[in-house]
Amino acid sequence: MTLKSEIQVAQLSELSDSDRQLVDLAIEATSRSYAPYSHFCVGASILLENGVTIMGCNQENAAFPAGICAERSAIFAAGAQYPDQAVVALAITARNTKGELIDEPASPCGPCRQVLIETETRFKRPVRILLYGKNRTFIVDSIKQLMPLSFTEF
Ligand code: THU
């Protein structure tokens, strides 16, 4: 037996209105990024169960580990403002050092994946994830597709 991950590959034109709006919000969030060190501006957007959307973006710091990724900035902002609302979907994109939207999707780092696993466990609901690049968008129905066999205490 083999366990396999499922990742859908789509063009922007193939997305539903709801997915497209979330991607547009992630693109908007890139312009709020504070990335004076890497100049890689990551934007994230979250759709909550109550329909509210939240933006996040990477926030860097001269003491490097003190900064935070766009994904966690959005998830933690959502947790602080709407602690009882499940996260339904998350979109992520970025601008490169030239300020252009990335051609290929950027994928969440390890710690962000671990936080997404816990978000799904916490709300007992999978998070749809859209990774947008100009050439293609990767879509998964749960972080488990990007992080199989993950650590969880519960
Ligand atoms: N970054 C994110 O915001 N999300 C990721 O998943 C990976 C990396 C940020 C961290 C840092 O500010 C910049 O991108 C360059 O690594």
Side-chain angles (χ1 to χ4, degrees):
M1 185 188 160
T2 310
L3 300 175
K4 291 184 181 165
S5 287
E6 196 167 290
I7 303 174
Q8 191 191 333
V9 185
Q11 295 301 312
L12 194 58
S13 57
E14 296 172 314
L15 299 187
S16 67
D17 286 350
S18 163
D19 284 350
R20 176 70 198 250
Q21 281 165 19
L22 207 59
V23 166
D24 284 343
L25 212 57
I27 292 172
E28 189 184 333
T30 61
S31 63
R32 302 178 177 205
S33 157
Y34 176 65
Y37 304 101
S38 73
H39 303 286
F40 189 66
C41 298
V42 187
S45 55
I46 280 181
L47 173 65
L48 298 176
E49 207 164 26
N50 63 0
V52 168
T53 51
I54 305 263
M55 279 191 267
C57 47
N58 54 333
Q59 302 289 326
E60 297 185 349
N61 192 276
F64 280 10
I68 196 162
C69 294
E71 297 90 324
R72 273 176 291 160
S73 118
I75 291 167
F76 294 159
Q81 293 171 65
Y82 299 94
D84 60 345
Q85 290 298 313
V87 175
V88 174
L90 168 75
I92 304 158
T93 192
R95 287 184 193 278
N96 62 24
T97 51
K98 292 183 199 156
E100 300 157 345
L101 281 174
I102 49 175
D103 289 328
E104 294 298 329
S107 197
C109 73
C112 287
R113 290 176 193 219
Q114 188 69 38
V115 167
L116 279 159
I117 287 283
E118 186 142 339
T119 302
E120 291 193 349
T121 308
R122 174 181 176 182
F123 294 110
K124 299 182 179 57
R125 181 176 177 145
V127 179
R128 179 176 176 78
I129 301 173
L130 301 129
L131 308 177
Y132 172 76
K134 277 189 290 187
N135 291 346
R136 68 198 100 241
T137 299
F138 293 144
I139 305 168
V140 290
D141 61 9
S142 162
I143 186 61
K144 288 182 180 140
Q145 303 298 336
L146 298 181
M147 196 174 179
L149 308 180
S150 59
F151 169 74
T152 166
E153 283 184 16
F154 313 102

